[in-house]
Amino acid sequence: ATKKAKNKPTAQTTIEQHAASTSTSIDDLRGQKQQQEQEREEQDERHKFVMRDGGLFPAPLPAGAPGRAEVLEKFHFLGTLIAKALLDSRLLSLPLSLPLLKLICNYPLTLSDLAVVDPDKARHLAELQALATRKVAAEALEDPQQRQHELAQLPDVGSYCLTMEYAPSSTMHGFSSHELVAGGAQVEVTLDNAEEYVRLMCR
């Protein structure tokens, strides 16, 4: 009996396999390129809108800031648009933050509201508020030695190098600081006025 010869790949078969492999690689590259282009288009589309987890809140703008009149005119238009939408029972894709709605309704803001708008600044102010509360509690102690001990345990707020000013995160609106009180640039934040500083920053 004779054994059957094993099928050996011919030159034609090798060429066809190589062509199929090359075609598959090209298709994969095309697919990757299309996916990248789609992701880029989606990213560009997202950049057209301002998206925040806590909703929209306007950046603070002092009375003397340049271009303030134009900003107020735009907010006046926005208010008119919202009023018309409410009147006509229309939905607007305008996710306003809860702190902004409180301001519109003339409710005071608190640290919890600031945490929605600026979590890092709110955390820092909460630490100052806690230190001011500890100072008041220490001063209320009747035992002079214990009172002195508790006050000595408080950190030096002066090391934070803070003044009674608001410093924006960006200077794009034309100002670098705004005094919270008259001459605030020269008033250092200490444990004695830390509570007032926190209150004015949340105003």
Side-chain angles (χ1 to χ4, degrees), residues 29-168:
L29 289 175
R30 287 175 178 172
Q32 292 177 5
K33 185 177 180 181
Q34 291 177 354
Q35 183 177 358
Q36 291 175 355
E37 291 179 351
Q38 183 178 357
E39 292 176 353
R40 191 181 300 111
E41 290 177 358
E42 292 177 355
Q43 187 175 6
D44 292 341
E45 187 69 20
R46 288 195 299 269
H47 286 169
K48 294 179 181 179
F49 304 94
V50 177
M51 305 295 293
R52 293 191 74 255
D53 293 337
L56 302 179
F57 190 90
L61 194 64
R68 185 171 182 268
E70 297 177 2
V71 173
L72 291 178
E73 184 178 351
K74 292 178 180 178
F75 271 99
H76 182 270
F77 169 77
L78 180 61
T80 304
L81 176 64
I82 294 175
K84 182 61 175 176
L86 291 173
L87 184 64
D88 296 342
S89 299
R90 301 286 185 179
L91 292 178
L92 286 179
S93 181
L94 191 64
L96 302 180
S97 65
L98 181 59
L100 177 56
L101 294 176
K102 289 181 65 174
L103 278 180
I104 293 175
C105 296
N106 203 28
Y107 283 95
L109 298 184
T110 63
L111 272 177
S112 60
D113 296 315
L114 184 59
V116 177
V117 179
D118 192 337
D120 292 334
K121 190 178 294 293
R123 182 166 53 253
H124 175 65
L125 292 178
E127 293 175 358
L128 285 178
Q129 181 66 58
L131 291 177
T133 303
R134 284 177 56 189
K135 178 179 180 293
V136 173
E139 291 176 339
L141 295 174
E142 296 182 358
D143 187 345
Q145 292 184 350
Q146 186 179 3
R147 183 191 313 123
Q148 188 66 25
H149 174 74
E150 291 296 331
L151 290 174
Q153 297 300 312
L154 295 174
D156 181 17
V157 176
S159 62
Y160 295 168
C161 299
L162 294 174
T163 56
M164 297 293 281
E165 293 179 291
Y166 166 76

